[in-house]
Amino acid sequence: MHFHLLQHSPHQGPARIADWLDSMGHSHTVFHLHDGELTPRLADADGLIVLDGPDEGQVDPQATWPRDENKLIDRALDGRKPLLGVGYGARRIAEALGAVVSRGTHAASGWHSVRLAPQSPFDLPETFEAFMWHRDIFALPDDALPLGGSEAGPMQGFSWDAQRVIGLLFHIEATPASAAAMLDHLPALGGGPYVQSRRAMLADTRRFDRQAPLLDRLLAQWLASVRR
């Protein structure tokens, strides 16, 4: 399969998602919307992945790509191709499905536990640790099933249309390099009980290795949903 990946920042790329696609024999093209590249044609790909990006209010109001991207997401929702959103991408998909996107009570960065929701359709551990970097959150869209939640954010992900569409607030695609890039270049999320220090986030790189199989499992379930 061939995938279009939409990127919104030079410091928030696909990370381990690209490695997984390559390892499974899929091809992909990254479109750097923040750098002036046009949104692609959905007809030219078998699936769409909308990557993380800026918080609400940080997008240049003069930029045209958000409107074009929203149209592309709407077309993907109306079609039968797999659609995945991470962070900013998940917020855009949730919004397109009619859910409220808002500022969360607490910012969350670093490593936090996610508890799988009882009605979650995902084959994941009941509790797992995931890397987080967010202040904005989304509500559960109508007709969607929740993935689960953390202490900082009760809605950490969802699936829609029998897992053909998935939105993830957390970052199980993160690597030590991608996490360091976020810390080096993105605005600080501020303080709070769920904001960890740089040292705490990067002290044990094995944490990134431990969450990698979760990404493998989730992406495999995602693509299996369109092969049924």
Side-chain angles (χ1 to χ4, degrees):
M1 301 176 71
H2 182 74
F3 291 85
H4 286 337
L5 278 62
L6 307 184
Q7 186 166 332
H8 315 93
S9 160
H11 314 299
Q12 292 164 290
R16 204 183 293 271
I17 291 175
D19 296 336
W20 186 87
L21 292 173
D22 291 343
S23 70
M24 298 302 294
H26 304 301
S27 58
H28 67 275
T29 304
V30 179
F31 294 83
H32 300 86
L33 304 188
H34 62 282
D35 207 24
E37 292 188 15
L38 299 178
T39 53
R41 284 172 13 102
L42 188 61
D44 295 335
D46 300 304
L48 181 67
I49 300 175
V50 188
L51 300 174
D52 198 13
D55 283 343
E56 308 302 308
Q58 293 181 347
V59 178
D60 182 356
Q62 303 302 317
T64 59
W65 63 260
R67 181 178 64 252
D68 295 335
E69 180 179 61
N70 289 339
K71 292 179 180 177
L72 185 61
I73 290 172
D74 286 339
R75 286 196 289 272
L77 290 172
D78 291 339
R80 296 301 308 162
K81 295 180 180 180
L83 171 63
L84 171 70
V86 179
Y88 174 87
R91 298 199 305 272
R92 295 284 69 80
I93 295 171
E95 188 174 53
L97 289 170
V100 173
V101 174
S102 63
R103 199 74 161 165
T105 302
H106 300 288
S109 65
W111 298 97
H112 299 281
S113 292
V114 176
R115 298 176 302 279
L116 208 64
Q119 63 271 52
S120 174
F122 295 93
D123 179 19
L124 295 171
E126 290 187 7
T127 303
F128 58 90
E129 188 179 60
F131 187 80
M132 298 187 184
W133 184 280
H134 66 265
R135 184 60 196 259
D136 298 321
I137 59 174
F138 47 77
L140 181 67
D142 289 343
D143 300 320
L145 293 174
L147 182 148
S150 68
E151 289 187 7
M155 185 56 56
Q156 287 292 329
F158 65 87
S159 70
W160 184 81
D161 192 19
Q163 290 184 276
R164 177 180 70 87
V165 178
I166 292 177
L168 303 176
L169 189 59
F170 54 80
H171 293 279
I172 53 173
E173 85 286 0
T175 65
S178 71
M182 296 168 75
L183 287 162
D184 289 342
H185 299 286
L186 299 184
L189 293 178
Y194 305 106
V195 175
Q196 297 175 2
S197 68
R198 180 191 184 100
R199 181 174 182 178
M201 292 186 216
L202 302 179
D204 184 1
T205 57
R206 290 173 298 180
R207 285 174 136 170
F208 294 94
D209 295 331
R210 286 194 290 268
Q211 72 171 3
L214 301 177
L215 178 71
D216 297 348
R217 288 170 66 172
L218 190 144
L219 293 181
Q221 294 170 58
W222 173 53
L223 295 190
S225 70
V226 297
R227 295 172 180 158
R228 293 168 186 160

